[in-house]
Amino acid sequence: MKQWHNLDIEKVQSATSKTLITNEVRKAYQEKHGKNKLQASEKTPEWKKFLSYFHDALMYVLIGAAVLKFITGSLVEGAIVLLVVVLNAMIGYYQERKADDSLSSISKLLSSKATVESENGRLSIDAKDLIPGDRVYLSPGDVIPADLRMETVNELKIDESILTGEPDAVVKTSARLEGQIALAERTNMAYSGTQVQSGTGKGIVVEIGSDTEIGKINASLATIEVKETPLLKKVNEMNHAIFKGIGVFIFLLGLISYFIYGMSPMYIVSAIIALIVSSIPEGLPSILTIILSSGVKNMSEQNAIVKGLPTVETLGSMTVICSDKTGTLTKNDMTLTNVFSNNQVTVIDHEDQTDSSNNELLAKIMQNCQETQSFDDRHCPVTGNATELALLRWTNRIGTPRIKSLETLPFDSKYKYMATSHLINGKKRIFVKGAPDIVLNKATAAHIDGQIAEFDHAQWEKINLAFASEGQRVIAFAYKDVDTTTELTHEEMDELVIIGLAGIIDPAKESAIEAVADCKKAGVRVVMITGDHPTTAKAIAKKLGIDHSERAITGTELDRLSTDEWQRVVKNTNIFARTTPEHKLMIVTYLQEQGEIVGMTGDGVNDAPALRKADVGIAMGIKGSDVSKQAADMILIDDNFETIAKAIKEGRRIFDNLKKTILFYLPTCLAQGLLLIVSMLGNLPLPLSTVQILWLNLVASITLSYALGFEPAHKMIMNRAPRDMKEKIISKYTLFRIVYVGLLLTFFGFLTMNAFGDEAVRQTVLINAIVFGQAFYMINCREITDSAFSNKIKQNKALIYSLLVMAILQLGMVYFSPLQSILQTTSLTLSELLISVIPATLLFLLVESEKHVTRVILKETTPTYSMDTKVEK
């Protein structure tokens, strides 16, 4: 790819076309290279997306069990098992799948028409028909139709925020630029999809379609694979472990039952199906969906829209947040902060409505040497040049008078200043506003306390550097008295009288400062990636409290790094300035290669690839583009970084509750499996039918598990580091608890059902015993190692409701005849009901005792143990 900004116009013409493009040339080029449009990526058919949700080891086992049921003639039970599989797939497809509309959104940004120079004069053509070498005319409001190298400009300003993220329009030039320059500083280029704010110009098409800067962004989006969230990875690992365990049990039981006990193949098949259905946590996907959905709802109430359910948990796993500066960490509202005049620095108080006579002349120049507010407009504009608006908000508020201008020299990046002339008391005075390095060099005197004084260049330069070191954009103001006959020209811009300096800045949000502190406390690293100047970036980062804010690296420096140097820089640098979309994507990629879980904020089209690549892409809801919103996983309605800190807390709460849920759910599956295994090995009747097992797994367990998803966050949840990504959902301690409780449930289950001779009574009492055991054990699981009552039950109303619903369902199972016929249960006496409750009470006490012993051991073996210490090693 040529560096077009480094070439003279003559060389650009030689590389594209020295002559005007004819229809024949246009057609021949398009036949060979294609048209000026973005390439559409192939979309996966919807039926393939749906079938992909069956691609899971446990789903295969359940499908196999359903087929075996059909073969053996148990059509109802087979249909129920198959229905469970289909429902889980539908949940995944409809609630977790998000459509990829990023390409169509980018396409909407492109221009549909272009005005080109032809042999017959100016001609309007379809933008898709442009080819390199076309001469394109630009006017205010035009969307740039292709990447152009500017040939002529007339006060041309272009809004490039969709590519750079910076709000100020860029003043364009036509002269060649030297060296390697960041995209935001290529003033002789105009890029496809950006918009002309003011002025006119003509440029030569140098890149079209996918070769444009916006085309590169589109190509990046198309090549980024859909990421698998940490939660899904861990759940898949757990599913494979369960699959292997069930496979071993099935193989051993089949051999023992057939060769040792001589059981019939039909009995063995029925038992194996029952084992599969009982041991596989069929209801777990639904439970996870319910808990994640509750997290999505909570996030929406905190101004964050989460597009994919697993994203909620990933938020809690984040170790690094890469954030844009403007509008996310800052207010996106340039503000006048300091002025220097009459040999003193004044901090601007924006609440003060009174005039400041000490800065009266300086305020007059600010108010009148500008092009944003017309003379007749008595109210400060709300849109326009961000720098001038920052000055006008102050001068309008303190009532600075308006003076009609006679002439205007507009700002030109070649001269770096603007000037206006005014008639004041019958004399002509020129007001000048511009870059300090230019204006100070043109000054020969200073205006101090109403008098013309000697100009101390070193003193003014010191103040300029002091303002700039704080991240402020510094502007110098001066004036010159001339004869009324003197014309306003650049030649008159010498022997100026300097009046003052002004520092303006896009200030950091107070909420962002607090949120950065919360993230640091939670062990989450905050990285700033901005298109702004490194000095400004460092100053803002320091105010925000970002670590290592004294160091910043620019995009130009990043371009010179080797792979190893990239790895070191990304690991040790928190401030990146003057970056391009490619830099943002590379930073995210290298961080992920180092094992980080990366969140990335953004609002522009330029942010879309990095948002898509990040583990959690976070778009801005107010100022974010449609492209960034659709590439992201989460949208901040209020564009507030503080919301991200809240999201991290919510994500951690959700993961804690998911662990509690799994800790609660799996012992029941184990107990049901052990009951079947022991029954087979003891040559006893199967304790439960397939439908009864499904009742336990899908109705009872889901009803109770649902409540654990609403447990409040631990009070110290944001004082611990992000969880280790190598940590499994089923840790050693979790496995111990699952086996411990599973064995207790199995033991109590056999004691309970052996107390009765009638099969229907025996099975009904067993189901009740297991359900009541689950209900009591759910209360145990409110805290993994702490006491179940370390936080009040009334804090979780869902727990109370779930217990009530469970009681009603169980009473229906026991006494409601339609359910009795489906589940093959029977009515129980009061004494039989009480027998069901006794094992549950014992289970609760034994688990609380085990938790107490665990806490004692931890306190003895872990000196720094606290109530928040995680038992996950």
Side-chain angles (χ1 to χ4, degrees):
M1 185 70 68
K2 291 187 177 180
Q3 300 296 311
W4 297 105
H5 58 279
N6 292 151
L7 303 180
D8 290 319
I9 284 295
E10 292 76 16
K11 291 184 178 179
V12 174
Q13 291 172 342
S14 298
T16 54
S17 176
K18 292 183 178 181
T19 60
L20 298 178
I21 303 298
T22 63
N23 287 335
E24 292 75 16
V25 171
R26 192 182 307 281
K27 185 176 180 181
Y29 181 92
Q30 291 172 352
E31 288 177 352
K32 184 176 181 180
H33 301 286
K35 293 195 172 189
N36 178 34
K37 58 184 182 179
L38 303 181
Q39 296 297 317
S41 58
E42 292 185 12
K43 288 196 173 183
T44 306
E46 293 300 314
W47 63 269
K48 281 191 176 180
K49 292 180 182 179
F50 179 69
L51 290 180
S52 67
Y53 287 86
F54 293 91
H55 182 54
D56 179 84
L58 298 186
M59 291 300 102
Y60 291 151
V61 175
L62 285 174
I63 291 170
V67 170
L68 285 174
K69 276 291 182 184
F70 287 137
I71 293 172
T72 57
S74 301
L75 300 182
V76 175
E77 292 183 346
I80 292 173
V81 174
L82 195 59
L83 180 62
V84 169
V85 176
V86 174
L87 284 174
N88 279 331
M90 290 176 67
I91 288 169
Y93 177 74
Y94 287 109
Q95 295 196 37
E96 298 181 30
R97 196 73 175 179
K98 67 178 182 181
D100 180 16
D101 296 323
S102 300
L103 175 62
S104 61
S105 295
I106 290 182
S107 298
K108 291 175 186 176
L109 297 173
L110 305 184
S111 176
S112 59
K113 292 289 182 180
T115 302
V116 299
E117 186 177 4
S118 71
E119 296 172 331
N120 301 318
R122 297 191 183 189
L123 181 68
S124 178
I125 66 171
D126 286 339
K128 65 182 180 182
D129 290 329
L130 288 174
I131 68 169
D134 266 318
R135 275 70 168 174
V136 176
Y137 289 95
L138 301 177
S139 301
D142 285 352
V143 175
I144 312 300
D147 284 3
L148 311 177
R149 168 66 166 84
M150 297 313 300
E151 187 176 6
T152 61
V153 296
N154 180 23
E155 301 179 14
L156 180 65
K157 293 182 180 179
I158 297 179
D159 178 1
E160 296 182 342
S161 58
I162 66 166
L163 291 178
T164 64
E166 296 307 308
D168 290 342
V170 179
V171 178
K172 292 299 178 180
T173 62
S174 58
R176 68 181 292 268
L177 300 173
E178 295 284 352
Q180 192 174 6
I181 302 174
L183 185 143
E185 297 174 348
R186 296 175 193 170
T187 55
N188 60 5
M189 297 291 296
Y191 294 104
S192 178
T194 61
Q195 188 169 32
V196 177
Q197 189 179 86
S198 62
T200 59
K202 184 175 74 170
I204 301 174
V205 175
V206 291
E207 302 291 355
I208 64 171
S210 298
D211 292 327
T212 61
E213 291 299 322
I214 204 166
K216 294 175 189 174
I217 293 174
N218 176 66
S220 296
L221 282 171
T223 56
I224 296 170
E225 296 180 359
V226 178
K227 49 192 172 281
E228 186 179 26
T229 66
L231 174 64
L232 293 180
K233 289 179 184 177
K234 298 304 177 186
V235 169
N236 287 336
E237 289 175 4
M238 181 183 72
N239 286 349
H240 280 93
I242 294 171
F243 172 74
K244 290 176 183 177
I246 292 172
V248 171
F249 272 124
I250 289 173
F251 179 74
L252 291 176
L253 281 174
L255 291 178
I256 294 170
S257 301
Y258 185 76
F259 290 104
I260 296 178
Y261 292 102
M263 296 178 181
S264 68
M266 192 65 97
Y267 175 86
I268 294 173
V269 169
S270 297
I272 287 175
I273 293 172
L275 177 62
I276 291 171
V277 175
S278 64
S279 302
I280 290 179
E282 303 98 334
L284 199 54
S286 300
I287 294 168
L288 296 182
T289 300
I290 290 169
I291 294 175
L292 292 172
S293 296
S294 73
V296 169
K297 182 177 180 294
N298 289 343
M299 291 301 302
S300 67
E301 293 172 354
Q302 299 180 52
N303 295 320
I305 302 298
V306 178
K307 296 164 66 178
L309 296 183
T311 300
V312 179
E313 184 277 328
T314 310
L315 283 162
S317 308
M318 281 197 301
T319 57
V320 178
I321 300 175
C322 297
S323 178
D324 188 19
K325 174 181 71 68
T326 307
T328 307
L329 295 169
T330 64
K331 296 179 179 179
N332 194 23
D333 185 14
M334 298 301 291
T335 304
L336 178 65
T337 55
N338 297 300
V339 296
F340 174 73
S341 64
N342 297 321
N343 275 343
Q344 67 180 38
V345 174
T346 303
V347 178
I348 300 301
D349 180 3
H350 289 277
E351 300 300 322
D352 186 4
Q353 300 292 324
T354 61
D355 188 5
S356 177
S357 58
N358 192 48
N359 297 305
E360 183 178 354
L361 180 55
L362 175 62
K364 280 184 181 178
I365 300 177
M366 290 182 183
Q367 178 75 14
N368 296 286
C369 186
Q370 50 85 21
E371 296 179 287
T372 298
Q373 184 175 2
S374 66
F375 180 76
D376 297 325
D377 189 356
R378 297 303 169 185
H379 300 284
C380 184
V382 294
T383 60
N385 183 280
T387 300
E388 290 187 347
L389 285 173
L391 304 175
L392 289 171
R393 277 192 287 269
W394 179 59
T395 58
N396 274 265
R397 195 184 68 253
I398 64 174
T400 304
R402 306 296 310 281
I403 308 173
K404 194 173 184 65
S405 62
L406 303 174
E407 305 153 292
T408 300
L409 272 180
F411 180 85
D412 189 322
S413 59
K414 179 180 178 182
Y415 296 100
K416 294 186 177 179
Y417 61 79
M418 75 165 292
T420 55
S421 64
H422 307 266
L423 196 60
I424 302 175
N425 298 327
K427 296 181 180 180
K428 190 173 184 179
R429 175 169 282 186
I430 296 172
F431 289 159
V432 182
K433 174 184 71 180
D437 56 327
I438 302 296
V439 177
L440 292 179
N441 286 332
K442 291 180 177 292
T444 56
H447 184 100
I448 300 174
D449 295 326
Q451 304 293 322
I452 303 299
E454 182 180 353
F455 174 52
D456 186 348
H457 191 282
Q459 178 196 16
W460 286 77
E461 190 60 47
K462 182 179 178 181
I463 299 297
N464 174 37
L465 293 174
F467 282 8
S469 66
E470 295 179 3
Q472 300 178 39
R473 182 179 298 170
V474 187
I475 308 165
F477 300 86
Y479 71 91
K480 180 180 182 180
D481 292 323
V482 296
D483 293 334
T484 54
T485 58
T486 302
E487 291 185 6
L488 181 60
T489 63
H490 290 293
E491 286 70 29
E492 288 296 326
M493 296 298 106
D494 58 6
E495 298 184 356
L496 301 177
V497 179
I498 191 76
I499 180 66
L501 299 174
I504 63 174
I505 197 169
D506 181 10
K509 294 178 181 176
E510 293 298 326
S511 59
I513 296 173
E514 295 175 9
V516 169
D518 287 341
C519 289
K520 289 168 62 177
K521 189 168 60 174
V524 181
R525 174 182 162 202
V526 179
V527 175
M528 179 193 290
I529 307 178
T530 178
D532 212 338
H533 193 278
T535 302
T536 304
K538 288 190 289 185
I540 293 295
K542 184 178 180 181
K543 290 182 179 179
L544 288 164
I546 295 176
D547 291 335
H548 310 303
S549 58
E550 72 283 354
R551 277 199 319 269
I553 189 166
T554 65
T556 303
E557 293 171 314
L558 290 174
D559 289 334
R560 296 194 288 264
L561 299 181
S562 65
T563 299
D564 290 341
E565 289 170 333
W566 259 102
Q567 293 281 6
R568 286 196 298 273
V569 164
V570 165
K571 187 174 184 178
N572 300 307
T573 305
N574 289 341
I575 315 296
F576 296 87
R578 291 299 191 208
T579 55
T580 66
E582 290 81 3
H583 295 140
K584 293 181 180 183
L585 183 59
M586 292 285 283
I587 292 166
V588 171
T589 301
Y590 277 113
L591 283 169
Q592 288 175 327
E593 287 180 0
Q594 294 172 2
E596 307 284 2
I597 302 299
V598 183
M600 170 76 194
T601 73
D603 53 24
V605 176
N606 60 321
D607 297 319
L611 290 173
R612 180 80 173 270
K613 176 67 176 174
D615 296 285
V616 182
I618 306 166
M620 302 297 112
I622 298 174
K623 65 188 182 72
S625 65
D626 287 342
V627 179
S628 65
K629 291 174 186 177
Q630 289 169 355
D633 302 294
M634 184 175 83
I635 300 170
L636 300 184
I637 297 174
D638 55 359
D639 288 12
N640 198 335
F641 189 84
E642 180 185 24
T643 306
I644 300 175
K646 293 178 181 177
I648 292 172
K649 181 178 180 179
E650 180 65 18
R652 292 186 175 187
R653 184 188 74 85
I654 288 295
F655 186 73
D656 283 355
N657 289 346
L658 287 174
K659 287 194 296 184
K660 294 173 187 176
T661 301
I662 291 168
L663 192 64
F664 160 75
Y665 194 92
L666 292 184
T668 306
C669 295
L670 177 62
Q672 293 171 27
L674 288 175
L675 283 168
L676 286 164
I677 291 168
V678 173
S679 297
M680 289 181 68
L681 294 179
N683 200 17
L684 300 171
L686 295 180
L688 297 170
S689 68
T690 304
V691 175
Q692 290 169 344
I693 292 169
L694 286 171
W695 170 269
L696 288 170
N697 285 0
L698 295 178
V699 181
S701 296
I702 290 178
T703 303
L704 295 172
S705 301
Y706 174 74
L708 289 174
F710 291 88
E711 281 296 304
H714 195 284
K715 61 183 179 181
M716 299 295 286
I717 199 168
M718 290 295 282
N719 285 49
R720 69 189 191 208
R723 66 185 179 87
D724 186 354
M725 284 297 100
K726 295 179 181 177
E727 172 193 321
K728 296 181 184 219
I729 288 183
I730 302 180
S731 63
K732 290 180 181 178
Y733 175 75
T734 306
L735 182 61
F736 158 74
R737 174 77 73 76
I738 290 168
V739 173
Y740 174 66
V741 175
L743 289 173
L744 287 176
L745 280 171
T746 305
F747 175 72
F748 289 138
F750 269 110
L751 285 180
T752 303
M753 71 179 194
N754 287 333
F756 304 95
D758 182 77
E759 183 179 4
V761 173
R762 184 175 67 245
Q763 290 181 332
T764 306
V765 171
L766 178 59
I767 294 171
N768 266 345
I770 293 175
V771 170
F772 289 142
Q774 285 179 308
F776 281 57
Y777 179 56
M778 180 187 69
I779 298 173
N780 290 127
C781 289
R782 295 186 67 222
E783 293 292 340
I784 294 178
T785 56
D786 291 346
S787 166
F789 302 106
S790 58
N791 60 72
K792 296 178 181 178
I793 289 181
K794 67 180 181 181
Q795 286 184 309
N796 185 356
K797 292 182 179 178
L799 184 142
I800 298 170
Y801 295 149
S802 68
L803 289 173
L804 289 173
V805 170
M806 190 69 262
I808 293 169
L809 287 172
Q810 284 305 110
L811 287 172
M813 182 205 77
V814 176
Y815 300 108
F816 186 52
S817 56
L819 270 179
Q820 286 179 337
S821 60
I822 293 172
L823 298 173
Q824 299 171 338
T825 56
T826 188
S827 300
L828 300 178
T829 64
L830 181 60
S831 61
E832 290 168 340
L833 276 175
L834 290 175
I835 290 173
S836 304
V837 177
I838 294 171
T841 306
L842 291 173
L843 174 68
F844 177 83
L845 295 174
L846 287 170
V847 172
E848 285 300 302
S849 300
E850 175 270 315
K851 287 162 68 175
H852 176 73
V853 172
T854 300
R855 290 196 301 273
V856 171
I857 294 173
L858 282 172
K859 286 179 180 178
E860 292 177 353
T861 58
T862 311
T864 58
Y865 173 79
S866 69
M867 297 297 282
D868 188 48
T869 301
K870 295 191 295 179
V871 191
E872 300 298 327
K873 297 295 177 64

